[in-house]
Amino acid sequence: MIMYHGKREDVLPFFESIGFACPEDRDIADFVQEVTTTARTKFKSRADAPATAEAMAAAWRASPFSQPKREEIEHWTQPKNKIDSKLRQQRFDKSAPFFGNTFVDELKLVLRRQVRLTMREFAFIRARLMQATIMGIIVGTVFLHIDLDFSRQNPTPAIQRYGVVFIVLMQMMLTGMAGVPIVLDNRGVFYKQNDAYFLRSITYVIAETVVLLPVSLVETIIMTSIVFWTAEVIPYDAPDAAQTFLTFVVIVFILNVSYGAFMRFFGVIARSAAIGQVLSGISIAFCILFGGFIITSNNIPAWFIWIYWLPPLPR
C-alpha cells in the first residue's frame, strides 16, 4: 500500500495535514521511516491522526497532495496517451540487442576495469615477481655452472639440463594455482553482471587474459634470465646462445599463460576454493608424473599414454 508518493518538498506538509509532525531534532528520513510503522504514535499532533497503515493509505488517497499523481496515472493509463517515442521503440523492440554497447566499446570498458582491479591488487603482483626471483636464484644456484662435458658415456650434464627446464616449467604450473581463489572471488560479480547484460563473456575473458599477459611476461623473463645464465644451460660463448635464450623465454611464457588459464578453469567449475585447489593440485600431479621427465614416454604403460599427450609439458 502507498502512504505517500510525490515531491520531496511535500513530505512534511502532507504528514502535518493528516496529524503527524516531525520534531525539530529528528532527521526527516528517519521520521518518514518511523511514521509508517507502529512507532507513529509519538509523532501525533492531533487526536484524529490515522492509527493504522490502512488508515494512512486512505488518508493519502483522500489528500489533495495525491491529486497530481492520481491525475498523472489516469492520463497515462488511457490507450490514446500511449508512449510511442523512438526511444521506447528502440528499447522494447524484440530485435534490439541485449547489450547496450558495441563489442569494441564494451571491450575497452572491461579492459579499463580489469586494469584498475589488477593494479588494486599490486601486492599480489609484487609477490609473484618476488617468488619468480627467489625461485630463480634457488634453482640457478643449485645447478650452478652445470658441467659442459657430456657424452654417451657421461649423460649426467644433459639430464641436469632437462631437470633445470623441467623445474622451471613446474614452477610456472604452481604459480598458476594462485589464480584459483581470485577467480572464485570474482565469479559471483561476473555472473551477476553477465545476467544483467552488462558485459559479454568473451569480452571479460579477453580483458582478463590481456591484463595478465604483461605480469606473466615479466615473471617469465625474471626467472628464465636468472636460471638460464646462472645454470649455464648452454655455454656462454655458443654462437646461438642468444637465440636459444629467446626460444627458452618464449616457450616458458607460453606455458605460463596456458597453465594459468588451465588453473583458472578449475576456479570456474569448482564450488569452493578448497575444491578448486584440490582439483588443480591433482592436475599438476598428473602433468608432472606423465610429463615425460620422471617417467619417459617409452616407459609409460599403454593404458596411461593418453595422459602423456594431454599437457603441453612433453612438447
Side-chain angles (χ1 to χ4, degrees):
M1 62 187 69
I2 300 176
M3 299 182 187
Y4 178 79
H5 190 285
K7 296 181 180 179
R8 175 177 55 84
E9 296 81 2
D10 294 337
V11 171
L12 293 182
F14 163 69
F15 283 107
E16 290 174 356
S17 68
I18 63 175
F20 296 100
C22 178
E24 295 182 358
D25 59 345
R26 184 59 60 94
D27 184 74
I28 297 178
D30 294 336
F31 165 74
V32 172
Q33 286 184 330
E34 293 185 37
V35 78
T36 57
T37 65
T38 56
R40 68 177 67 90
T41 54
K42 60 184 178 182
F43 301 116
K44 291 179 65 173
S45 59
R46 297 201 317 258
D48 60 344
T52 62
E54 292 78 7
M56 292 188 68
W60 158 248
R61 291 191 297 269
S63 171
F65 288 95
S66 67
Q67 186 64 28
K69 180 60 62 177
R70 286 189 279 114
E71 292 178 353
E72 182 181 358
I73 294 174
E74 180 67 22
H75 173 77
W76 293 116
T77 52
Q78 296 294 327
K80 62 180 180 179
N81 297 324
K82 177 182 178 182
I83 300 176
D84 200 20
S85 64
K86 184 177 180 180
L87 177 61
R88 183 183 182 280
Q89 293 176 355
Q90 294 175 351
R91 180 172 297 177
F92 296 99
D93 188 3
K94 293 183 178 180
S95 61
F98 288 107
F99 301 96
N101 296 313
T102 63
F103 180 84
V104 176
D105 293 337
E106 182 182 307
L107 182 59
K108 292 178 181 178
L109 291 173
V110 179
L111 268 173
R112 192 179 302 121
R113 187 191 70 168
Q114 288 301 119
V115 170
R116 290 181 179 179
L117 291 176
T118 303
M119 296 308 296
R120 187 184 300 173
E121 299 293 337
F122 192 75
F124 174 73
I125 299 175
R126 186 164 53 245
R128 285 186 60 173
L129 299 181
M130 286 297 298
Q131 180 184 8
T133 304
I134 294 173
M135 290 303 300
I137 294 173
I138 292 174
V139 176
T141 51
V142 168
F143 295 92
L144 184 63
H145 297 301
I146 301 174
D147 187 8
L148 301 177
D149 184 18
F150 58 89
S151 59
R152 289 183 178 273
Q153 291 75 24
N154 183 27
T156 301
I159 297 175
Q160 288 177 330
R161 283 171 171 78
Y162 279 118
V164 171
V165 176
F166 180 78
I167 292 175
V168 171
L169 298 181
M170 186 176 64
Q171 176 61 30
M172 295 297 103
M173 287 190 292
L174 296 174
T175 302
M177 290 183 64
V180 175
I182 298 177
V183 174
L184 284 165
D185 290 340
N186 298 334
R187 189 171 62 179
V189 178
F190 165 74
Y191 284 155
K192 183 177 181 180
Q193 294 179 349
N194 183 253
D195 291 342
Y197 301 106
F198 286 177
L199 50 85
R200 300 170 176 85
S201 300
I202 184 63
T203 56
Y204 179 82
V205 173
I206 293 175
E208 189 177 71
T209 303
V210 170
V211 169
L212 291 177
L213 285 179
V215 180
S216 300
L217 180 60
V218 174
E219 180 183 35
T220 301
I221 292 175
I222 291 175
M223 187 165 188
T224 53
S225 300
I226 298 174
V227 173
F228 188 88
W229 301 112
T230 305
E232 200 171 355
V233 175
I234 65 170
Y236 297 147
D237 55 353
D240 58 345
Q243 181 180 353
T244 305
F245 170 70
L246 292 177
T247 304
F248 183 57
V249 172
V250 171
I251 293 174
V252 175
F253 173 67
I254 293 174
L255 286 173
N256 189 358
V257 174
S258 61
Y259 273 112
F262 185 48
M263 294 297 107
R264 288 195 297 274
F265 165 74
F266 291 110
V268 173
I269 65 174
R271 299 184 62 181
S272 64
I275 297 176
Q277 294 288 0
V278 170
L279 292 176
S280 59
I282 293 175
S283 66
I284 288 177
F286 273 96
C287 292
I288 294 174
L289 183 60
F290 297 97
F293 180 76
I294 297 178
I295 305 175
T296 57
S297 59
N298 57 335
N299 291 321
I300 298 177
W303 53 86
F304 279 140
I305 194 62
W306 58 274
I307 303 179
Y308 171 79
W309 297 105
L310 287 181
L313 191 60
R315 271 73 73 194

